[in-house]
Amino acid sequence: MPNPNLPLTVAPQVAEALARRQPVVALESALITHGLPRPVNQQVARQMEAIVRAEGATPATVALLAGEVKVGLSPQELERLAHEPEPAKISQRDLPVAVAQGRSGGTTVAATMTLAYRAGIRVFATGGIGGVHRSHPEDVSADLPALATTPMLVVCAGAKAILDLPRTLEALETLGVPVVGYQTDTFPAFTSRSSGLPLAARADSPQDVAAIARARNRLGLPASLLVCVPIPSDDEMVWAETHAAVEATVAEADERGISGRDLTPFLLARLADRTGGESLAANKALLFHNSRVAAHIARALDS
Ligand code: PSU
Ligand code: MN
């Protein structure tokens, strides 16, 4: 149940679904404001919500509008966010400042998880989580500690291919985050089905995932269950080719001195340019697929 004293505005359909204990799937919004170009961003956000609904769950896109934390956006609010002239990229550390100063922006995986959990939501779908950057091992996404301390179920396609995947997987292990391959034995590589890195756990159905989440809850463990879903085969990119484009993109960011919060959006945008839009098409496909799988898991959890 959402705590009425929290400064969260929960959309009526989301509040109703939570009150009735019906399945709800949280969706992040940094990918709308910073991960995808316009006008694709708004189309993708809308379609992710539509897929969650079609699969029998209620979507709750999380964002900040003029300092107000929104858990679930109306179509008008989603449009406003997608067209915001200078939206903020709001991660965990940015929340107090963004609320106090009335900012509008997209919430990252870390911030979305924190807010959705406070609203009473337990399942969350995204594309690729943040992690440890290549050539910048000191740049570790706030997504990782947030996963370690927020007992949700996060559905993703692994970590973004622009990252150092072996180091990201090691960091998840250190943080005690259970990483479960969904119908796979290896860590997916965002736009490719496999990074080749083996995973310690696998689940083959929404029911299998729900059983692991229930065990986590009974044990009282604090970390999210990270469910890693490979992109559908028809949409995937060849990992060796992606890898080459990623290396070139990372080198370009280094040359241009791009770092910190600007790094991930820069890498995603340049990778799309370098791959002739192929990485963008794959990014969309995996977001839709993850939304679908998350809705199935949310339903299995509730039953
Ligand atoms: N997944 C995508 N596109 C994105 C992101 C994830 O398919 O743009 C965003 C998420 O919001 C994630 C953020 O939390 O990138 C990570 O940014 P950083 O590396 O600065 O923590
Ligand atoms: Mn970072």
Side-chain angles (χ1 to χ4, degrees), residues 8-196:
L8 305 176
T9 304
V10 181
Q13 324 82 274
V14 176
E16 193 179 315
L18 289 169
R20 293 185 177 174
R21 303 190 146 274
Q22 288 166 350
V24 175
V25 174
L27 301 169
E28 60 140 321
S29 51
L31 74 92
I32 305 173
T33 54
H34 291 78
L36 300 167
R38 295 173 193 189
V40 174
N41 62 343
Q42 191 186 350
Q43 294 156 9
V44 170
R46 275 205 189 125
Q47 198 165 339
M48 287 174 75
E49 290 193 348
I51 290 168
V52 170
R53 270 189 213 103
E55 302 297 330
T58 300
T61 302
V62 175
L64 257 74
L65 289 176
E68 189 180 354
V69 175
K70 298 279 189 183
V71 178
L73 298 178
S74 68
Q76 296 73 20
E77 288 168 337
L78 184 62
E79 175 149 4
R80 193 174 137 198
L81 181 73
H83 291 93
E84 198 51 49
E86 279 181 33
K89 175 179 163 186
I90 301 167
S91 191
Q92 190 90 343
R93 59 134 194 223
D94 305 306
L95 283 171
V97 175
V99 168
Q101 299 181 353
R103 298 297 313 264
S104 296
T107 48
T108 64
V109 168
T112 302
M113 243 192 297
T114 300
L115 298 171
Y117 183 75
R118 278 166 174 66
I121 302 173
R122 296 294 174 260
V123 180
F124 166 33
T126 182
I129 59 161
V132 183
H133 277 280
R134 285 168 199 258
S135 85
H136 284 282
E138 76 287 358
D139 183 348
V140 179
S141 176
D143 293 355
L144 299 187
L147 283 164
T149 52
T150 317
M152 289 188 81
L153 205 154
V154 179
V155 178
C156 67
K160 284 186 284 278
I162 51 167
L163 298 167
D164 185 327
L165 299 182
R167 276 203 173 104
T168 299
L169 206 47
E170 286 295 336
L172 287 164
E173 182 184 345
T174 304
L175 291 165
V177 177
V179 180
V180 178
Y182 190 75
Q183 300 171 349
T184 182
D185 294 309
T186 57
F187 193 44
F190 193 50
T191 49
S192 303
R193 287 179 61 81
S194 177
S195 64

Side-chain angles (χ1 to χ4, degrees), residues 205-263:
S205 67
Q207 290 72 25
D208 284 359
V209 173
I212 301 170
R214 287 195 197 100
R216 185 265 323 261
N217 297 346
R218 287 205 305 276
L219 291 163
L221 293 169
S224 276
L225 191 63
L226 190 64
V227 180
C228 298
V229 183
I231 182 174
S233 325
D234 288 350
D235 303 299
E236 84 162 329
M237 293 173 69
V238 179
W239 179 226
E241 287 168 19
T242 315
H243 205 261
V246 165
E247 303 263 278
T249 309
V250 169
E252 187 183 339
D254 270 348
E255 272 162 35
R256 293 172 57 171
I258 291 164
S259 66
R261 74 162 99 207
D262 300 330
L263 186 55

